[in-house]
Amino acid sequence: MEKSLLVNSRLLHKKIASVLFIFFFFISITGALLGWKSLFTETIFENKQIKAETSMKKWMSLDSLESIAIIALNEKTNNKFDHAKNIQIKPSKGSISFSFKKNYTIQIDGATGETIRIEHKNAEFIQDLHDGALIDELFDSKMGLSKKIYTTIMGLALLILTLSGFWMWFKPKQIKQSKKQ
């Protein structure tokens, strides 16, 4: 019984690992690159003299701030952006960050609309490749279904490989120990 469980765990481990090898390869490479993601961010503009207003009561309207961000980003990058794909409000820093396609991010002062920083974050592509979101982006999926399926399969596969790998390591030691006694 115990030997057949060991044999079955080896077969399961071998099948899962051989089928999903290429995905584990990409996850390991992109995971390592994400640890160094600051190397993939290019700061295009930075205004270090801004002291942003943290009271949101003094901030400009969101649509005005987005318009200012679009104009400033288009000027600095020679692109034609027309809307942000993501907005991150940071009241404690007195700023708001707008993310755009092609991995551009602009951070502006919420009260004055002055540009604080413009960055080109290429690490977002690596992140999307790492977690499977790239598939959803290619097919313009709003629900993120491909990412959810991918991460579920890979998470369960890694769990099974970990458990079966532990069993393949532990069980022979246990059998060897019982033969000594």
Side-chain angles (χ1 to χ4, degrees):
M1 168 75 179
E2 287 183 17
K3 243 182 180 173
S4 68
L5 186 60
L6 183 60
V7 170
N8 288 336
S9 74
R10 279 194 178 126
L11 287 172
L12 181 68
H13 190 90
K14 185 178 177 181
K15 285 180 182 179
I16 289 175
S18 60
V19 170
L20 298 176
F21 164 78
I22 193 74
F23 296 106
F24 286 121
F25 178 77
F26 277 117
I27 288 173
S28 65
I29 297 298
T30 55
L33 289 173
L34 284 172
W36 294 86
K37 69 181 175 182
S38 62
L39 294 176
F40 303 103
T41 299
E42 173 191 4
T43 301
I44 297 169
F45 173 81
E46 187 167 22
N47 186 349
K48 294 183 180 189
Q49 299 171 342
I50 295 260
K51 173 127 177 41
E53 176 61 54
T54 57
S55 172
M56 289 180 66
K57 292 177 184 176
K58 298 179 182 177
W59 282 23
M60 298 170 67
S61 68
L62 194 57
D63 61 332
S64 297
L65 291 169
E66 182 183 27
S67 295
I68 291 168
I70 290 168
I71 292 166
L73 186 60
N74 286 339
E75 285 175 3
K76 295 283 185 185
T77 64
N78 296 321
N79 283 300
K80 300 288 183 230
F81 296 110
D82 58 354
H83 69 282
K85 71 174 189 175
N86 188 17
I87 300 170
Q88 188 177 25
I89 299 171
K90 302 173 184 176
S92 63
K93 293 184 177 183
S95 67
I96 183 165
S97 292
F98 295 93
S99 298
F100 293 84
K101 288 184 178 180
K102 299 181 184 178
N103 303 319
Y104 283 99
T105 302
I106 182 167
Q107 182 181 7
I108 59 174
D109 183 306
T112 65
E114 286 186 68
T115 303
I116 298 171
R117 179 182 294 122
I118 299 175
E119 294 178 324
H120 190 216
K121 297 182 174 185
N122 291 313
E124 287 184 23
F125 171 76
I126 297 167
Q127 174 71 38
D128 290 346
L129 187 61
H130 181 74
D131 65 11
L134 188 64
I135 298 165
D136 288 322
E137 200 171 299
L138 289 173
F139 293 110
D140 203 26
S141 171
K142 303 288 187 242
M143 292 175 37
L145 188 60
S146 298
K147 177 181 175 178
K148 290 174 181 144
I149 291 170
Y150 175 76
T151 55
T152 301
I153 289 171
M154 296 309 292
L156 289 173
L158 191 56
L159 177 65
I160 291 168
L161 288 173
T162 302
L163 295 174
S164 62
F166 174 77
W167 189 253
M168 289 186 302
W169 169 81
F170 177 74
K171 197 59 187 169
K173 290 186 179 301
Q174 194 180 38
I175 292 170
K176 196 175 183 180
Q177 191 78 12
S178 67
K179 282 183 181 178
K180 283 184 181 177
Q181 293 174 354

